Coordinates of all heavy atoms in Angstrom, one line a residue:
T183 N 105.2 64.4 91.4 CA 104.0 65.1 90.9 C 103.4 66.0 92.0 O 103.1 65.4 93.1 CB 102.9 64.1 90.4 OG1 103.4 63.2 89.5 CG2 101.7 64.8 89.9
E184 N 103.3 67.2 91.8 CA 102.8 68.2 92.8 C 101.3 68.3 92.7 O 100.8 68.5 91.6 CB 103.5 69.5 92.6 CG 103.1 70.5 93.7 CD 103.9 71.8 93.6 OE1 104.5 72.1 92.5 OE2 104.1 72.5 94.7
I185 N 100.6 68.0 93.8 CA 99.2 68.0 93.9 C 98.8 69.1 94.8 O 99.2 69.2 96.0 CB 98.6 66.7 94.4 CG1 99.1 65.5 93.5 CG2 97.1 66.7 94.4 CD1 98.6 65.5 92.1
L186 N 98.0 70.1 94.3 CA 97.4 71.1 95.2 C 95.9 71.1 95.1 O 95.3 71.1 94.0 CB 97.9 72.5 94.7 CG 99.4 72.8 94.9 CD1 100.1 72.8 93.6 CD2 99.5 74.1 95.6
T187 N 95.3 70.9 96.2 CA 93.8 70.9 96.3 C 93.3 71.8 97.4 O 94.2 72.3 98.2 CB 93.3 69.4 96.6 OG1 93.7 69.1 98.0 CG2 93.9 68.4 95.6
N188 N 92.0 72.0 97.5 CA 91.5 72.8 98.6 C 91.8 72.1 100.0 O 91.8 72.8 101.0 CB 90.0 72.9 98.5 CG 89.6 73.8 97.3 OD1 90.4 74.6 96.9 ND2 88.5 73.5 96.6
E189 N 92.0 70.8 100.0 CA 92.2 70.0 101.2 C 93.7 70.0 101.6 O 94.0 69.7 102.8 CB 91.8 68.6 101.1 CG 90.3 68.4 100.9 CD 89.8 68.7 99.5 OE1 90.6 68.4 98.5 OE2 88.7 69.3 99.3
G190 N 94.6 70.3 100.7 CA 96.0 70.3 101.1 C 97.0 70.3 99.9 O 96.6 70.5 98.7
H191 N 98.2 70.2 100.2 CA 99.3 70.3 99.3 C 100.3 69.2 99.6 O 100.8 69.0 100.7 CB 100.0 71.7 99.5 CG 101.2 71.9 98.6 ND1 102.1 72.9 98.8 CD2 101.6 71.3 97.4 CE1 103.0 72.9 97.8 NE2 102.8 71.9 97.0
F192 N 100.5 68.3 98.5 CA 101.4 67.2 98.7 C 102.0 66.8 97.4 O 101.7 67.3 96.3 CB 100.7 66.0 99.4 CG 99.6 65.4 98.6 CD1 99.8 64.4 97.7 CD2 98.3 65.9 98.7 CE1 98.7 63.9 96.9 CE2 97.2 65.4 97.9 CZ 97.4 64.4 97.0
F193 N 103.0 65.8 97.5 CA 103.7 65.3 96.3 C 103.5 63.8 96.2 O 103.5 63.1 97.3 CB 105.2 65.7 96.3 CG 105.5 67.1 96.2 CD1 105.4 68.0 97.3 CD2 105.8 67.7 95.0 CE1 105.7 69.3 97.2 CE2 106.1 69.0 94.9 CZ 106.1 69.8 96.0
L194 N 103.4 63.3 95.0 CA 103.5 61.9 94.8 C 104.8 61.6 94.1 O 105.3 62.3 93.2 CB 102.4 61.4 93.9 CG 100.9 61.5 94.4 CD1 99.9 61.0 93.4 CD2 100.8 60.8 95.8
A195 N 105.5 60.6 94.6 CA 106.9 60.3 94.2 C 107.0 58.8 93.8 O 106.5 58.0 94.4 CB 107.9 60.7 95.2
D196 N 107.8 58.6 92.7 CA 108.1 57.3 92.3 C 109.6 57.3 91.9 O 110.2 58.3 91.5 CB 107.2 56.8 91.2 CG 107.1 55.3 91.1 OD1 107.7 54.6 91.8 OD2 106.3 54.9 90.2
S197 N 110.2 56.1 91.8 CA 111.6 56.0 91.4 C 111.8 54.9 90.3 O 110.9 54.0 90.2 CB 112.4 55.6 92.7 OG 112.0 54.3 93.2
A198 N 112.8 55.1 89.6 CA 113.1 54.2 88.5 C 114.5 53.7 88.4 O 115.0 53.2 87.4 CB 112.7 54.8 87.1
S199 N 115.3 53.9 89.5 CA 116.7 53.5 89.6 C 117.0 53.2 91.1 O 116.3 53.6 92.0 CB 117.6 54.6 89.1 OG 117.6 55.7 90.0
D200 N 118.1 52.4 91.3 CA 118.5 52.1 92.6 C 118.8 53.3 93.5 O 118.4 53.4 94.6 CB 119.7 51.1 92.6 CG 119.3 49.7 92.1 OD1 118.1 49.4 92.2 OD2 120.2 49.0 91.6
P201 N 119.6 54.3 92.9 CA 119.8 55.5 93.7 C 118.5 56.2 94.1 O 118.4 56.7 95.2 CB 120.7 56.4 92.8 CG 121.3 55.4 91.9 CD 120.3 54.3 91.7
G202 N 117.6 56.3 93.1 CA 116.3 56.9 93.4 C 115.5 56.2 94.5 O 114.9 56.8 95.4
K203 N 115.5 54.9 94.5 CA 114.8 54.1 95.5 C 115.4 54.3 96.9 O 114.7 54.4 97.9 CB 114.8 52.6 95.1 CG 114.0 52.3 93.9 CD 114.2 50.8 93.5 CE 113.4 50.5 92.2 NZ 113.6 49.1 91.7
E204 N 116.8 54.4 96.9 CA 117.4 54.6 98.2 C 117.1 55.9 98.8 O 116.9 56.1 100.0 CB 119.0 54.5 98.0 CG 119.4 53.0 97.6 CD 120.9 53.0 97.3 OE1 121.6 54.1 97.4 OE2 121.4 52.0 96.8
I205 N 117.1 57.0 97.9 CA 116.8 58.3 98.4 C 115.3 58.4 99.0 O 115.1 58.9 100.1 CB 117.0 59.3 97.3 CG1 118.5 59.5 97.0 CG2 116.4 60.7 97.8 CD1 118.8 60.3 95.8
L206 N 114.4 57.8 98.2 CA 113.0 57.9 98.7 C 112.8 57.0 99.9 O 112.0 57.4 100.8 CB 112.1 57.4 97.6 CG 111.9 58.3 96.4 CD1 110.8 57.8 95.4 CD2 111.4 59.7 96.8
A207 N 113.5 55.9 100.0 CA 113.3 55.1 101.2 C 113.8 55.7 102.5 O 113.3 55.4 103.6 CB 114.1 53.8 101.0
G208 N 114.6 56.7 102.4 CA 115.1 57.4 103.6 C 114.3 58.6 104.0 O 114.6 59.3 104.9
L209 N 113.2 58.9 103.3 CA 112.3 60.0 103.6 C 111.1 59.6 104.3 O 110.6 58.5 104.0 CB 112.0 60.8 102.3 CG 113.1 61.3 101.4 CD1 112.6 61.9 100.1 CD2 113.9 62.4 102.2
P210 N 110.5 60.5 105.1 CA 109.2 60.2 105.7 C 108.1 60.2 104.7 O 108.0 61.2 104.0 CB 109.0 61.3 106.8 CG 109.9 62.4 106.3 CD 111.1 61.8 105.6
S211 N 107.4 59.1 104.5 CA 106.4 59.0 103.4 C 105.4 58.0 103.8 O 105.6 57.3 104.8 CB 107.1 58.6 102.1 OG 107.7 57.3 102.2
K212 N 104.4 57.9 103.0 CA 103.4 56.8 103.1 C 102.9 56.4 101.8 O 103.0 57.2 100.8 CB 102.3 57.2 104.0 CG 101.5 58.5 103.6 CD 100.5 58.8 104.6 CE 99.7 60.1 104.2 NZ 98.7 60.5 105.3
P213 N 102.5 55.2 101.6 CA 102.0 54.7 100.3 C 100.9 55.6 99.8 O 100.0 56.0 100.5 CB 101.6 53.3 100.5 CG 102.3 52.8 101.8 CD 102.4 54.1 102.6
A214 N 101.0 55.9 98.5 CA 99.9 56.7 97.9 C 98.6 55.9 97.8 O 98.7 54.7 97.5 CB 100.3 57.1 96.5
T215 N 97.5 56.5 98.0 CA 96.2 55.8 97.9 C 95.7 55.9 96.5 O 96.2 56.6 95.6 CB 95.2 56.5 98.8 OG1 95.0 57.9 98.3 CG2 95.7 56.6 100.3
E216 N 94.7 55.0 96.2 CA 94.2 55.0 94.9 C 93.6 56.4 94.5 O 93.6 56.8 93.4 CB 93.1 53.9 94.8 CG 93.6 52.5 94.6 CD 94.4 52.3 93.4 OE1 94.1 52.9 92.3 OE2 95.5 51.6 93.5
E217 N 93.0 57.1 95.5 CA 92.4 58.4 95.2 C 93.5 59.4 94.8 O 93.3 60.2 93.9 CB 91.7 58.9 96.5 CG 91.0 60.3 96.3 CD 90.4 60.8 97.5 OE1 90.4 60.1 98.6 OE2 89.9 62.0 97.5
E218 N 94.7 59.3 95.5 CA 95.8 60.2 95.2 C 96.3 59.9 93.9 O 96.7 60.9 93.1 CB 96.8 60.1 96.3 CG 96.3 60.7 97.7 CD 97.2 60.3 98.8 OE1 98.1 59.4 98.7 OE2 97.0 60.9 99.9
I219 N 96.5 58.7 93.5 CA 97.0 58.3 92.2 C 96.0 58.8 91.1 O 96.4 59.2 90.0 CB 97.2 56.8 92.1 CG1 98.4 56.4 93.1 CG2 97.6 56.4 90.7 CD1 98.6 54.9 93.2
S220 N 94.7 58.7 91.4 CA 93.7 59.2 90.5 C 93.8 60.7 90.3 O 93.6 61.2 89.2 CB 92.3 58.8 91.0 OG 91.3 59.3 90.2
R221 N 94.2 61.4 91.3 CA 94.4 62.8 91.2 C 95.6 63.1 90.2 O 95.5 64.1 89.4 CB 94.7 63.5 92.5 CG 93.5 63.6 93.5 CD 93.9 64.3 94.7 NE 92.8 64.4 95.7 CZ 91.9 65.3 95.7 NH1 91.9 66.3 94.8 NH2 90.9 65.3 96.6
L222 N 96.6 62.3 90.3 CA 97.7 62.4 89.4 C 97.3 62.2 87.9 O 97.6 63.0 87.1 CB 98.8 61.3 89.7 CG 100.1 61.3 89.0 CD1 101.2 60.6 89.8 CD2 100.0 60.6 87.6
R223 N 96.5 61.2 87.7 CA 96.0 60.9 86.3 C 95.1 62.1 85.8 O 95.2 62.5 84.7 CB 95.2 59.6 86.3 CG 96.1 58.4 86.6 CD 95.3 57.1 86.2 NE 96.0 55.9 86.7 CZ 95.6 55.3 87.8 NH1 94.5 55.7 88.5 NH2 96.2 54.2 88.2
N224 N 94.3 62.6 86.7 CA 93.4 63.7 86.4 C 94.2 64.9 86.0 O 93.8 65.7 85.1 CB 92.4 64.0 87.5 CG 91.4 62.9 87.7 OD1 91.2 62.1 86.8 ND2 90.8 62.8 88.8
A225 N 95.2 65.2 86.8 CA 96.1 66.4 86.6 C 96.7 66.3 85.2 O 96.8 67.2 84.4 CB 97.1 66.6 87.7
S226 N 97.2 65.1 84.9 CA 97.9 64.8 83.6 C 96.9 65.0 82.5 O 97.2 65.7 81.5 CB 98.5 63.4 83.6 OG 99.1 63.1 82.3
D227 N 95.7 64.4 82.6 CA 94.7 64.5 81.5 C 94.3 66.0 81.3 O 94.1 66.4 80.2 CB 93.5 63.7 81.9 CG 93.8 62.2 81.8 OD1 94.9 61.8 81.2 OD2 93.0 61.4 82.3
S228 N 94.1 66.7 82.4 CA 93.7 68.1 82.3 C 94.8 68.9 81.6 O 94.4 69.8 80.8 CB 93.4 68.6 83.7 OG 93.1 70.0 83.7
A229 N 96.0 68.7 82.0 CA 97.1 69.4 81.3 C 97.1 69.1 79.8 O 97.3 70.0 79.0 CB 98.4 69.1 82.0
A230 N 97.0 67.8 79.5 CA 97.1 67.4 78.1 C 96.0 68.1 77.2 O 96.2 68.6 76.1 CB 97.0 65.9 77.9
H231 N 94.8 68.1 77.8 CA 93.6 68.7 77.1 C 93.6 70.2 77.0 O 92.8 70.8 76.3 CB 92.3 68.2 77.7 CG 92.1 66.7 77.5 ND1 91.7 65.8 78.5 CD2 92.2 65.9 76.4 CE1 91.6 64.6 78.1 NE2 91.9 64.6 76.8
S232 N 94.4 70.8 77.9 CA 94.4 72.3 77.9 C 95.5 72.9 76.9 O 95.6 74.1 76.8 CB 94.7 72.8 79.3 OG 96.0 72.4 79.7
S233 N 96.2 72.0 76.2 CA 97.2 72.5 75.3 C 96.6 73.4 74.2 O 95.6 73.0 73.6 CB 97.9 71.3 74.7 OG 98.9 71.8 73.8
Q234 N 97.1 74.6 74.0 CA 96.6 75.5 73.0 C 97.3 75.4 71.7 O 96.8 76.0 70.7 CB 96.7 76.9 73.6 CG 96.0 77.2 74.8 CD 96.1 78.6 75.3 OE1 96.3 79.5 74.6 NE2 95.9 78.8 76.6
R235 N 98.4 74.8 71.6 CA 99.1 74.6 70.3 C 99.3 73.2 70.0 O 99.3 72.3 70.8 CB 100.5 75.3 70.4 CG 100.5 76.8 70.0 CD 101.9 77.4 70.1 NE 101.9 78.7 69.5 CZ 101.5 79.8 70.2 NH1 101.0 79.7 71.4 NH2 101.6 81.0 69.6
S236 N 99.4 72.9 68.7 CA 99.6 71.5 68.2 C 100.3 71.6 66.9 O 100.4 72.6 66.2 CB 98.3 70.8 68.1 OG 97.5 71.4 67.1
M237 N 100.9 70.5 66.5 CA 101.5 70.3 65.2 C 101.2 68.9 64.7 O 101.5 67.9 65.4 CB 103.0 70.5 65.3 CG 103.8 70.4 64.0 SD 105.6 70.4 64.1 CE 105.8 72.1 64.7
E238 N 100.7 68.9 63.5 CA 100.5 67.6 62.8 C 101.8 67.0 62.4 O 102.5 67.6 61.6 CB 99.6 67.7 61.6 CG 99.4 66.5 60.8 CD 98.9 65.3 61.6 OE1 97.8 65.4 62.2 OE2 99.6 64.3 61.6
T239 N 102.3 65.9 63.0 CA 103.6 65.4 62.7 C 103.6 64.3 61.6 O 104.7 63.9 61.2 CB 104.2 64.8 64.0 OG1 103.3 63.7 64.5 CG2 104.3 65.8 65.1
K240 N 102.5 63.8 61.2 CA 102.4 62.7 60.2 C 102.9 63.2 58.9 O 102.5 64.3 58.4 CB 101.0 62.2 60.1 CG 100.9 61.0 59.1 CD 99.5 60.5 59.0 CE 99.4 59.3 58.0 NZ 98.0 58.8 57.9
G241 N 103.9 62.6 58.3 CA 104.4 62.9 57.0 C 105.2 64.3 57.0 O 105.4 64.9 56.0
L242 N 105.7 64.7 58.2 CA 106.3 66.0 58.4 C 107.6 66.1 57.6 O 107.8 67.1 56.9 CB 106.5 66.3 59.8 CG 107.0 67.7 60.2 CD1 106.1 68.8 59.5 CD2 107.0 67.9 61.7
K243 N 108.4 65.1 57.7 CA 109.7 65.1 57.0 C 109.4 65.2 55.4 O 110.1 66.1 54.8 CB 110.5 63.8 57.3 CG 111.8 63.8 56.5 CD 112.5 62.5 56.9 CE 111.9 61.3 56.2 NZ 112.7 60.1 56.3
D244 N 108.6 64.4 54.9 CA 108.3 64.5 53.5 C 107.7 65.8 53.1 O 108.0 66.3 52.0 CB 107.3 63.3 53.1 CG 108.0 62.0 53.2 OD1 109.2 61.9 53.2 OD2 107.2 61.0 53.4
L245 N 106.9 66.4 53.9 CA 106.3 67.7 53.6 C 107.4 68.8 53.5 O 107.3 69.5 52.5 CB 105.3 68.1 54.8 CG 104.8 69.5 54.7 CD1 103.7 69.6 53.6 CD2 104.2 70.0 56.0
L246 N 108.3 68.8 54.4 CA 109.4 69.8 54.3 C 110.3 69.5 53.1 O 110.7 70.5 52.5 CB 110.2 69.8 55.6 CG 109.4 70.3 56.8 CD1 110.2 70.1 58.1 CD2 109.0 71.8 56.7
Y247 N 110.6 68.3 52.9 CA 111.5 68.0 51.7 C 110.8 68.4 50.4 O 111.4 68.9 49.5 CB 111.7 66.5 51.7 CG 112.8 66.0 52.7 CD1 113.3 66.8 53.6 CD2 113.1 64.6 52.7 CE1 114.3 66.3 54.5 CE2 114.0 64.1 53.6 CZ 114.6 65.0 54.5 OH 115.5 64.5 55.4
A248 N 109.5 68.2 50.3 CA 108.7 68.5 49.1 C 108.6 70.0 48.9 O 108.4 70.5 47.8 CB 107.4 67.9 49.1
N249 N 108.8 70.8 50.0 CA 108.7 72.2 49.9 C 110.0 73.0 50.0 O 110.0 74.2 50.4 CB 107.7 72.7 51.0 CG 106.2 72.4 50.6 OD1 105.6 73.2 49.9 ND2 105.7 71.3 51.1
S250 N 111.1 72.3 49.7 CA 112.4 73.0 49.8 C 112.5 74.2 49.0 O 113.3 75.1 49.3 CB 113.5 72.0 49.5 OG 113.4 71.6 48.1
E251 N 111.8 74.3 47.9 CA 111.9 75.5 47.0 C 110.6 76.4 47.1 O 110.4 77.2 46.3 CB 112.1 75.1 45.6 CG 113.4 74.3 45.4 CD 114.6 75.1 45.8 OE1 114.6 76.4 45.6 OE2 115.6 74.5 46.3
S252 N 109.8 76.2 48.2 CA 108.6 77.0 48.3 C 108.9 78.5 48.5 O 109.9 78.8 49.3 CB 107.8 76.5 49.5 OG 106.7 77.3 49.8
P253 N 108.1 79.3 47.9 CA 108.3 80.8 48.1 C 108.0 81.2 49.6 O 108.4 82.3 50.0 CB 107.3 81.4 47.2 CG 106.3 80.4 46.8 CD 107.1 79.1 46.9
H254 N 107.4 80.3 50.4 CA 107.1 80.7 51.7 C 108.3 80.9 52.6 O 108.3 81.6 53.6 CB 106.2 79.6 52.4 CG 105.7 80.0 53.8 ND1 104.8 81.0 54.0 CD2 106.1 79.5 55.0 CE1 104.6 81.1 55.3 NE2 105.4 80.2 55.9
W255 N 109.4 80.2 52.2 CA 110.7 80.4 52.9 C 111.1 81.9 52.8 O 111.7 82.4 53.8 CB 111.8 79.5 52.4 CG 111.6 78.0 52.5 CD1 111.4 77.1 51.5 CD2 111.5 77.3 53.8 NE1 111.2 75.9 52.1 CE2 111.3 76.0 53.4 CE3 111.6 77.7 55.1 CZ2 111.1 75.0 54.4 CZ3 111.5 76.7 56.1 CH2 111.2 75.3 55.7
E256 N 110.8 82.5 51.7 CA 111.2 83.9 51.6 C 110.3 84.8 52.5 O 110.8 85.7 53.1 CB 111.0 84.3 50.1 CG 111.6 85.7 49.7 CD 113.1 85.6 49.6 OE1 113.6 84.7 48.9 OE2 113.8 86.4 50.3
T257 N 109.1 84.4 52.7 CA 108.2 85.1 53.5 C 108.7 85.1 55.0 O 108.8 86.2 55.6 CB 106.8 84.5 53.5 OG1 106.3 84.6 52.1 CG2 105.8 85.3 54.4

Side-chain angles (χ1 to χ4, degrees):
T183 303
E184 187 170 21
I185 306 292
L186 292 109
T187 69
N188 294 331
E189 294 78 34
H191 180 194
F192 62 92
F193 292 83
L194 297 181
D196 205 356
S197 57
S199 70
D200 290 338
K203 292 174 183 176
E204 292 173 6
I205 292 171
L206 288 184
L209 299 177
S211 65
K212 57 185 179 182
T215 66
E216 283 299 323
E217 180 185 357
E218 290 165 348
I219 296 175
S220 177
R221 288 183 183 274
L222 184 158
R223 297 193 189 100
N224 291 340
S226 175
D227 290 343
S228 176
H231 291 133
S232 65
S233 182
Q234 298 183 24
R235 271 181 170 78
S236 64
M237 181 188 294
E238 173 56 57
T239 59
K240 184 178 180 180
L242 186 51
K243 179 181 73 171
D244 294 336
L245 173 73
L246 293 171
Y247 285 1
N249 283 276
S250 61
E251 298 302 324
S252 169
H254 185 69
W255 296 115
E256 195 72 53
T257 302

